[in-house]
């Protein structure tokens, strides 16, 4: 804590985009607020102060305020960040320009629809275990190598905050792009021994330009992921794997649904 | 008027609600889940350290089973729990964790051979058995006899929530986000669904269902300093209170977690101490063994939190501008362990406090102080999860007082309760839907919707006065922190009740500056505030009336646990909507039906109980039954059944297999 002491009392400037698309009178515009910095101030603290003091209907989303739930992604001086983990002391000139994340439908001000987008992604990549094995709950669980469980966990840490999508040029050009979040999800089920899906199955889900072949490897996702997921490595791995499915051909033609 | 019909309506999209929805949907019932936020952002995601289930795979869990888990849970509750429900819970928990494994939750696994752990600050080598390799492992937690808490690093709630939410997506459960419960629709003692507000366009809708489940989580945000997410405001429980029929159980039973970080109040998991971390004072001294020689830093949460505050009161806290605190030291566990099993703790500490807890010595110590964490109380239910007061109304998870936690919940038992109660209550709720049809006319529905519309119109029409919603809310939270906290006394509780009642009056008059329906956070605050105040008053008033100390409810003016007079559950009902105080009455706990009659918990202060005469009588009876059956060669299941029979749906009562001992 002591390292924040020198910044106490500094006057901060917040420039916040305000716009309510459901109100025909409303036009997007920036509004400026000034707040005195407090010790350890985060954007969670600052935005709530602005709502209490100046703008009671300012819309933004927080849930856990601890960097765990992924609710509060927003653009801070042009970079998508989790607002709750963003400390004002890290902005030397004291100016923070806040905008909603692009690529998601705007509700109002800083609040965007990420949940439905993520549910759509989850359904598209069938983000659940595919297994013909019936689990008998009274019996010992299936054994998993500890390292494999850890590797699955590593990719299961994604919190669906949407920061990878709002960092992604492909997502801006192709609204149907599944995003790094979707490709990471495929990689997660690929490594999980509970899931019986093959590379061919994953190819069916994401083997096109709105999926694994749409990524232009600009890797804003990797740069901005607040959970430091190995997105670059996993996208490259899945692309190589699924590209091979296409090369071998044949197998796909004879697949029968059902 | 928009009316939506379904079979099963689940309010709340955390672990408990989603698991319930999976149960009803998989029984062929049309199920709708309503959530304030995208369901994967629910507060369940913040559960860190793990889920208790007596798998006994790790060498440190050997000998564990349902009986040991049950005894730990009952002692943890300070004999306030419903023992039948605790039995239902411990029997189903191993099945729940195995189900979740099948749904892809990447539980940490046992690795055969030697590994290094820290026990009582000593580095020790333990050897995991060959035949346990690859099974689900566990860590130590407070108030438990065995290492029983299964985990995925310290993001257990997150992986569980994603596993269950993905299962709900697979089952095509109809999940609707940014929907808020305003009131429950009921007639002649039967619940028919809810009036719901869309948080984007502000429109009201009626959801009509054969059964409705309140799975809205805890009410921690009536306190100022809490680990709870900002959505945990208790408005689901308040909607039950506002039926004038439904009851809350034990609202005064509020848990304060020992180690939220200062000043943000963000949780640092009990796994920190479970894995061998310790608390230290201003002198760097490890003080807990002085107070609790047996369990030390790992006594139950109520006990550790009180001991910490006691130590701070002795002047041993660390001074800071955010008040006195103590240190949590996990640096002794080593960087490798922290970066694998306590990585969210490390991330939180580094992000919010600039401290890397893996740094050796005082540099890595994290500032901690107890803060509100969990509501043991909630919507009173029967063991099936149904309200005893309103037919067709169910509740589970933290929102409910089902009541497996009594007056103190063990770490790792809440995230376990979410899925276990979702399985059990979800199945009972499905049965209810299959057995009961709906018969309600639209005029009745319309009247309930109109009442809520009228309420919103009334809020919008109020003239602005000098008062502010935010001031009232903050004052409520300060009162709860200052006067209804860890140490309570009659005088301060009375002051709290009196002032909270005034705040409730003020909350009914305060105006708002923006009078639009759509996406209006100020309006949302305005209609939630009286609901939150009703919860706060219920907590403070019940705490004032309970003149004993039990579990987390600690009265400085009544230091003893008083089994003779207070072995009973508080029930709160709010029949008069204009009133500023609820009715409080009590439900006796029947000692003669308990499997474990009241005794000493094994931690906390000794000799601080006023005995109930029946405790000894029941203990003698339990001993006799056990002795007779053992002489006849009965196994532990037959003995348990003779002491306290209980039911479970599906195959949940079947025995659980364990490595090396089968179904023994």
């Amino acid at each position: 804590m002591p390292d924040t002491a020198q910044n106490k009392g500094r006057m901060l400037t917040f420039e916040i985009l305000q716009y309510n698309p459901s109100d025909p009178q409303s036009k997007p515009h920036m509004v400026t607020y000034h707040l005195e910095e407090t010790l350890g101030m985060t954007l969670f603290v600052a935005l709530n102060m602005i709502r209490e003091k100046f703008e009671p209907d300012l819309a933004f989303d927080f849930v856990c305020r601890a960097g765990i739930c992924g609710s509060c992604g927003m653009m801070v001086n042009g970079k998508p960040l989790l607002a709750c983990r963003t400390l004002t002391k890290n902005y030397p000139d004291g100016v923070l320009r806040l905008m909603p994340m692009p690529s998601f439908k705007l509700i109002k001000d800083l609040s965007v629809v990420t949940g439905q987008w993520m549910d759509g992604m989850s359904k598209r990549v069938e983000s659940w275990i595919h297994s013909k094995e019936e689990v008998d709950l009274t019996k010992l669980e299936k054994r998993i190598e500890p390292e494999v469980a850890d590797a699955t966990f590593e990719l299961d840490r994604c919190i669906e905050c949407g920061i990878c999508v709002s960092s992604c040029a492909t997502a801006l050009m192709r609204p149907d792009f599944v995003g790094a979040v979707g490709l990471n999800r495929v990689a997660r089920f690929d490594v999980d021994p509970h899931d019986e899906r093959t590379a061919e199955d994953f190819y069916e889900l994401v083997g096109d330009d709105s999926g694994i072949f749409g990524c232009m490897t600009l890797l804003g996702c990797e740069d901005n992921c607040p959970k430091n997921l190995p997105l670059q490595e996993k996208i490259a791995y899945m692309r190589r794997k699924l590209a091979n499915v296409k090369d071998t051909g044949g197998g796909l033609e004879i697949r029968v649904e059902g | 008027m928009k009316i939506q019909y379904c079979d099963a309506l689940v309010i709340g999209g955390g672990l408990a609600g989603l698991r319930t929805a999976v149960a009803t949907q998989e029984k062929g019932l049309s199920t709708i889940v309503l959530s304030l936020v995208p369901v994967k952002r629910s507060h369940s995601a913040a559960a860190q350290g793990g889920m208790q289930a007596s798998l006994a795979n790790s060498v440190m869990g050997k000998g564990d089973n349902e009986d040991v888990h049950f005894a730990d849970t009952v002692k943890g509750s300070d004999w306030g729990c419903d023992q039948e429900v605790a039995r239902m819970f411990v029997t189903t928990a191993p099945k729940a964790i195995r189900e979740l494994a099948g749904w892809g939750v990447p539980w940490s696994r046992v690795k055969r051979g030697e590994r290094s752990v820290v026990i009582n600050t000593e580095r020790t080598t333990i050897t995991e058995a060959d035949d346990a390799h690859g099974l689900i492992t566990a860590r130590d937690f407070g108030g438990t006899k065995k290492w029983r808490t299964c985990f995925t690093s310290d993001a257990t709630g997150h992986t569980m929530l994603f596993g269950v939410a993905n299962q709900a997506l697979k089952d095509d459960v109809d999940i609707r986000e940014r929907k808020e419960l305003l009131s429950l629709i009921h007639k002649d003692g039967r619940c028919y669904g809810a009036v719901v507000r869309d948080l984007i366009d502000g429109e009201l809708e009626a959801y009509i269902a054969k059964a409705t489940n309140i799975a809205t989580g805890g009410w921690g945000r009536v306190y100022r300093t809490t680990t709870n997410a900002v959505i945990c405001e208790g408005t689901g429980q308040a909607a039950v209170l506002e039926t004038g029929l439904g009851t809350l159980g034990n609202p005064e039973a509020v848990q304060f977690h020992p180690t939220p970080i200062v000043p943000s109040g963000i949780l640092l998991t009990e796994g920190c101490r479970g894995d061998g971390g310790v608390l230290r004072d201003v002198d760097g001294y490890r003080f807990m063994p002085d107070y609790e020689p047996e369990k030390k830093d790992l006594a139950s949460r109520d006990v550790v939190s009180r001991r910490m505050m006691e130590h701070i009161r002795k002047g041993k806290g660390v001074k800071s501008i955010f008040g006195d605190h103590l240190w949590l030291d996990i640096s002794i566990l080593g960087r490798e362990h922290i970066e694998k099993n306590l990585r969210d703790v490390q991330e939180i500490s580094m992000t919010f406090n600039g401290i890397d807890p893996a740094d050796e010595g005082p540099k890595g110590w994290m500032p901690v102080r107890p803060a509100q964490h969990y509501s043991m109380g909630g919507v009173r239910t029967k063991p099936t999860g149904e309200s005893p007061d309103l037919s067709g109304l169910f509740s589970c998870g933290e929102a409910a007082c089902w009541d497996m936690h009594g007056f103190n919940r063990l770490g790792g038992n809440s995230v376990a309760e979410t899925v276990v109660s979702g399985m059990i209550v979800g199945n009972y709720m499905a049965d209810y839907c299959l057995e009961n049809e709906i018969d309600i006319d639209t005029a009745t529905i319309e009247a309930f919707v109109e009442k809520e519309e009228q309420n919103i119109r009334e809020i919008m029409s109020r003239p602005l006065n000098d008062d502010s919603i935010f001031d009232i809310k903050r004052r409520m939270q300060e009162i709860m922190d200052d006067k209804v906290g860890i140490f309570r006394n009659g005088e301060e509780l009375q002051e709290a009740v009196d002032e909270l009642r005034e705040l409730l009056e003020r909350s009914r008059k305060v105006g708002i500056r923006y009078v639009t329906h759509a996406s209006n956070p100020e309006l949302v605050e305005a209609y939630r505030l009286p609901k939150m105040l009703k919860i706060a008053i219920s907590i403070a008033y019940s705490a004032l009336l309970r003149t004993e100390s039990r579990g987390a409810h600690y009265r400085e003016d009544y230091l003893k646990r008083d089994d003779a007079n207070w072995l009973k559950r508080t029930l709160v009902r709010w029949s008069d909507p204009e009133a500023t105080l609820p009715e409080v009455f009590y439900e006796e706990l029947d000692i003669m039906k308990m499997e474990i009659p009241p005794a000493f918990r094994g931690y906390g202060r000794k000799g601080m109980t006023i005995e109930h005469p029946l405790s000894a009588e029941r203990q003698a009876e339990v001993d006799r039954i056990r002795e007779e059956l053992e002489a006849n060669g009965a196994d532990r299941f037959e003995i348990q059944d003779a002491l306290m029979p209980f039911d479970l749906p599906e195959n949940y009562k079947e025995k659980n297999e364990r490595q090396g001992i089968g179904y023994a």
Side-chain angles (χ1 to χ4, degrees):
Chain A
M1 279 183 300
D3 58 333
T4 53
Q6 73 272 18
N7 286 336
K8 192 179 181 285
R10 189 168 64 134
M11 194 53 79
L12 299 171
T13 302
F14 295 88
E15 297 167 7
I16 303 179
L17 181 108
Q18 291 186 26
Y19 176 44
N20 182 357
S22 74
D23 175 2
Q25 312 286 318
S26 174
K27 297 263 183 302
H29 60 290
M30 301 298 289
V31 182
T32 302
Y33 306 93
H34 299 286
L35 277 185
E36 194 180 308
E37 190 168 42
T38 57
L39 201 56
M41 182 182 253
T42 62
L43 277 179
F44 168 72
V45 174
L47 283 168
N48 276 293
M49 282 172 83
I50 290 170
R51 185 188 274 175
E52 289 189 24
K53 286 186 177 177
F54 310 115
E55 204 74 56
D57 80 330
L58 181 65
F60 49 77
D61 294 314
F62 289 101
V63 178
C64 76
R65 58 77 170 93
I68 290 165
C69 76
S71 297
C72 63
M74 61 181 69
M75 306 301 284
V76 184
N77 293 358
K79 220 170 125 73
L81 297 170
L82 290 181
C84 73
R85 287 202 336 195
T86 302
L87 275 76
T88 54
K89 69 164 178 156
N90 294 333
Y91 292 81
D93 64 357
V95 180
L96 292 93
R97 199 173 162 84
L98 310 182
M99 311 265 267
M101 284 198 298
S103 297
F104 297 100
K105 190 181 161 202
L106 179 67
I107 297 173
K108 183 172 180 284
D109 307 333
L110 301 172
S111 174
V112 295
V113 179
T114 53
Q116 285 162 17
W117 194 100
M118 291 297 165
D119 285 355
M121 175 280 296
S122 291
K123 289 203 172 183
R124 166 156 176 208
V125 305
E126 298 182 9
S127 169
W128 48 81
I129 297 292
H130 292 55
S131 171
K132 290 184 197 71
E133 220 173 294
E134 277 286 311
V135 179
D136 182 338
L137 301 184
T138 68
K139 291 205 165 74
L140 288 187
E141 63 274 16
K142 180 187 171 106
R143 286 171 199 266
I144 304 290
E145 281 302 312
E147 291 78 11
V148 175
D150 292 346
T152 309
F153 170 71
E154 196 60 34
L155 304 183
D156 208 38
R157 290 165 50 243
C158 168
I159 55 174
E160 295 190 357
C161 59
I163 282 176
C164 60
V165 180
S166 65
S167 312
C168 176
T170 304
L172 281 176
M173 293 188 294
R174 278 188 170 274
D176 60 348
F177 183 54
V178 73
V181 57
L183 300 175
N184 174 71
R185 192 61 50 83
V186 170
R188 179 242 175 274
F189 285 102
D190 181 57
V191 73
D192 189 339
H194 290 99
D195 198 307
E196 292 164 0
R197 280 179 286 184
T198 61
E200 284 77 11
D201 295 323
F202 292 128
Y203 185 89
E204 285 288 309
L205 298 170
V206 294
D208 62 9
D209 285 354
S210 69
I212 195 77
F213 303 118
C215 168
M216 302 186 292
T217 58
L218 298 174
L219 298 170
C221 54
E222 168 101 7
D223 294 343
N224 292 319
C225 174
K227 289 287 158 186
N228 298 312
L229 291 166
L231 298 171
Q232 174 179 4
E233 182 197 328
K234 288 299 153 187
I235 292 173
Y237 171 78
M238 287 310 298
R239 186 188 331 230
R240 198 166 61 242
K241 188 162 178 165
L242 298 194
N244 284 335
V245 172
K246 198 164 191 190
D247 287 345
T248 57
L252 283 172
E253 321 300 327
I254 55 164
R255 273 174 50 87
V256 179
E257 285 300 316
Chain B
M1 178 179 56
K2 270 201 214 166
I3 303 182
Q4 311 269 352
Y5 291 93
C6 60
D7 293 318
L9 176 64
V10 180
I11 320 258
L15 276 170
L18 289 172
R19 185 58 189 83
T20 303
V22 167
T24 53
Q25 185 84 357
E26 289 188 350
K27 282 202 170 172
L29 298 159
S30 74
T31 303
I32 294 180
V33 174
L34 302 177
S35 173
L36 291 174
V37 296
V39 292
K40 284 175 178 165
R41 315 220 184 284
S42 305
H43 188 51
S44 302
Q48 295 175 353
M51 161 171 172
Q52 282 204 44
S54 59
L55 300 181
N57 291 326
S58 163
V59 64
M60 301 304 285
K62 278 279 166 274
D64 200 8
N65 60 29
E66 299 82 4
D67 296 352
V68 187
H69 190 185
F70 173 73
D72 285 345
T73 302
V74 171
K75 289 173 189 172
S77 83
D78 219 355
W79 276 271
C81 74
D82 181 332
Q83 295 195 8
E84 187 185 331
V85 170
R87 262 293 170 192
M88 294 165 73
F89 163 74
V90 298
T91 307
T92 310
K95 299 178 182 76
I97 207 158
R98 286 168 173 163
E99 177 177 83
L100 292 171
W103 290 355
V105 177
W107 298 111
S108 283
R109 301 286 169 150
V110 177
K111 189 177 171 66
R112 66 168 68 89
E114 291 188 348
R115 68 184 173 113
S116 168
V117 297
V118 174
I119 300 174
N120 198 17
T121 69
E122 298 290 330
R123 201 155 268 289
T124 312
T125 300
I126 61 174
T127 308
E128 297 288 3
D130 259 358
D131 62 7
H133 184 77
L135 296 173
I136 296 169
T137 193
R139 58 165 39 134
D140 200 6
F141 247 48
T144 62
K145 277 238 160 12
K146 304 284 178 185
W147 290 24
R148 187 188 297 127
T149 303
C150 308
F151 60 95
T152 58
S153 184
D154 55 356
T156 313
H158 163 79
T159 56
M160 289 172 68
L161 182 61
F162 272 53
V164 177
N166 285 332
Q167 188 68 20
L169 288 172
K170 177 190 175 188
D171 288 346
D172 250 331
V173 173
D174 185 347
I175 296 172
R176 304 183 185 191
E177 64 189 49
R178 297 183 193 262
K179 301 279 187 186
E180 175 163 13
L181 163 70
L182 294 183
S183 68
L184 292 167
I185 298 168
H186 60 95
K187 190 184 173 187
D188 301 330
R190 164 96 197 263
C191 179
Y192 288 96
V195 181
V196 171
R197 182 169 180 273
D198 185 295
L199 288 169
I200 296 177
D201 65 20
E203 273 195 58
L204 301 197
E205 300 161 274
Y207 281 78
I208 302 301
K210 292 174 178 171
T212 304
N213 191 320
I214 304 292
T216 51
W219 52 45
R221 284 278 156 178
V222 300
Y223 284 83
R224 184 104 184 123
T225 315
T226 171
T227 62
N228 283 195
V230 298
I231 52 172
C232 301
E233 300 193 307
T235 50
Q237 293 93 330
V240 173
L241 263 190
E242 288 180 342
T243 61
L245 299 167
T247 47
L248 303 185
N250 287 343
E252 70 272 38
V254 178
Q255 178 166 87
F256 299 86
H257 194 288
T259 61
I261 200 162
V262 176
S264 64
I266 295 171
L267 178 68
L268 302 177
T269 174
E270 188 163 301
C272 291
R273 285 169 292 131
D275 289 3
V278 296
L279 294 163
R280 298 189 188 278
D281 66 14
V282 66
D283 306 318
Y285 177 69
R286 184 189 176 204
F287 57 92
M288 276 307 293
D290 296 351
Y291 294 104
E292 297 294 331
E294 196 195 328
K295 296 296 290 183
K296 305 182 179 69
D297 299 83
L298 281 175
S300 63
R301 288 178 178 174
D302 57 326
V303 170
V304 177
S305 288
R306 269 197 301 277
R307 297 301 200 184
M308 289 169 74
M309 294 311 291
E310 199 178 331
H311 204 61
I312 287 175
R313 282 177 168 192
K314 286 181 184 167
K316 291 294 181 184
V318 184
K319 303 266 179 248
S320 87
I321 62 156
F322 301 109
D324 292 5
H325 64 78
L326 294 160
W327 299 114
L328 176 61
D329 174 10
I330 61 171
S331 66
I332 53 175
L333 307 181
R335 183 168 292 278
E336 194 189 343
H337 178 89
I338 290 168
E339 293 186 348
K340 180 169 185 290
N341 283 331
L342 294 167
R343 59 201 279 180
D344 275 3
V345 163
Q346 185 187 35
E347 191 178 295
I348 288 164
S349 178
M350 288 175 76
T351 304
F352 295 97
N353 292 64
I355 295 168
D356 181 354
D359 282 348
E360 278 181 38
K363 199 176 164 217
W365 297 353
M366 300 177 283
V368 293
R369 184 173 58 228
Q372 196 284 342
H373 179 59
Y374 188 82
S375 335
M376 276 76 75
V379 178
R380 179 66 188 134
T381 72
K382 300 185 273 194
T384 57
E386 191 180 8
S387 162
D389 313 293
L390 267 168
S391 166
L393 177 67
F394 292 75
S395 183
C396 65
E398 189 177 349
C401 180
W402 187 27
D403 176 10
M404 58 167 277
H405 304 303
F407 277 75
N408 175 68
R409 165 178 79 72
L410 294 183
N413 260 358
S414 70
V415 85
E417 180 192 20
T418 62
V419 283
V420 167
S421 68
M423 292 163 81
I424 295 171
V425 174
N427 272 292
Y428 284 127
M429 181 169 158
D431 292 346
Y432 182 93
C433 291
L434 295 168
E435 288 158 13
N436 292 277
E437 294 302 325
I438 289 185
D439 52 344
I440 184 166
D441 56 75
T442 51
T444 308
I445 301 170
E446 204 154 344
F448 275 92
V449 176
E450 173 51 29
K451 195 174 157 212
E452 293 308 315
E453 274 177 349
Q454 167 59 28
N455 183 40
I456 286 171
R457 279 197 302 270
E458 191 274 321
I459 291 171
M460 288 187 172
S461 70
R462 289 176 197 162
L464 281 177
N465 54 17
D466 292 342
D467 219 346
S468 138
I469 298 160
F470 301 107
D471 290 347
I472 300 174
K473 186 171 176 179
R474 189 179 311 102
R475 183 65 199 139
M476 167 188 74
Q477 293 170 330
E478 285 167 2
I479 295 169
M480 295 303 286
D481 273 16
D482 296 345
K483 298 181 177 177
V484 199
I486 295 178
F487 295 113
R488 302 168 174 182
N489 63 67
E491 193 180 333
E492 287 186 341
L493 288 167
Q494 184 65 58
E495 287 167 12
V497 170
D498 293 345
E499 196 179 341
L500 289 168
R501 294 177 74 180
E502 285 166 27
L503 293 180
L504 178 57
E505 297 276 12
R506 274 168 62 188
S507 76
R508 290 166 174 167
K509 293 181 195 125
V510 63
I512 59 174
R513 279 179 272 182
Y514 290 85
V515 289
T516 55
H517 284 273
S519 187
N520 184 349
E522 191 188 18
L523 173 66
V524 171
E525 294 279 354
Y527 65 68
R528 282 185 193 170
L529 188 55
K531 292 177 193 279
M532 293 180 78
L533 278 158
K534 284 178 185 169
I535 297 297
I537 291 168
S538 298
I539 296 169
Y541 189 39
S542 304
L544 171 65
L545 296 179
R546 184 174 284 272
T547 49
E548 66 152 355
S549 291
R550 182 179 300 275
H553 172 71
Y554 191 80
R555 286 285 298 259
E556 293 174 303
D557 43 357
Y558 296 92
L559 291 170
K560 290 188 173 176
R561 188 182 88 198
D562 184 354
D563 290 344
N565 295 295
W566 283 102
L567 206 60
K568 50 194 180 186
R569 185 174 295 115
T570 305
L571 294 175
V572 172
R573 179 175 285 144
W574 205 297
S575 335
D576 174 6
E578 300 306 314
T580 53
L581 211 54
E583 301 100 83
V584 174
F585 49 109
Y586 296 94
E587 180 185 353
E588 295 288 333
L589 302 187
D590 187 349
I591 294 176
M592 297 312 285
K593 286 188 177 160
M594 287 182 186
E595 190 175 327
I596 307 181
F600 176 58
R601 296 167 93 186
Y603 42 79
R605 286 209 177 91
K606 280 188 185 162
M608 295 302 284
T609 306
I610 299 170
E611 306 274 350
H612 193 293
L614 287 179
S615 296
E617 189 179 321
R618 174 61 177 166
Q619 188 60 55
E621 189 174 53
V622 167
D623 293 344
R624 180 181 54 76
I625 294 171
R626 184 178 295 279
E627 212 170 294
E628 281 173 16
L629 287 172
E630 274 174 358
N632 292 332
D635 66 16
R636 66 185 181 95
F637 301 98
E638 291 162 332
I639 294 170
Q640 194 286 319
D641 185 58
L643 292 173
M644 190 185 68
F646 66 98
D647 287 324
L648 278 169
E650 299 290 295
N651 66 339
Y652 298 159
K653 206 172 166 185
E654 283 178 27
K655 295 174 185 174
N656 297 301
E657 188 184 6
R658 288 182 180 82
Q659 177 59 37
I661 57 168
Y663 291 90

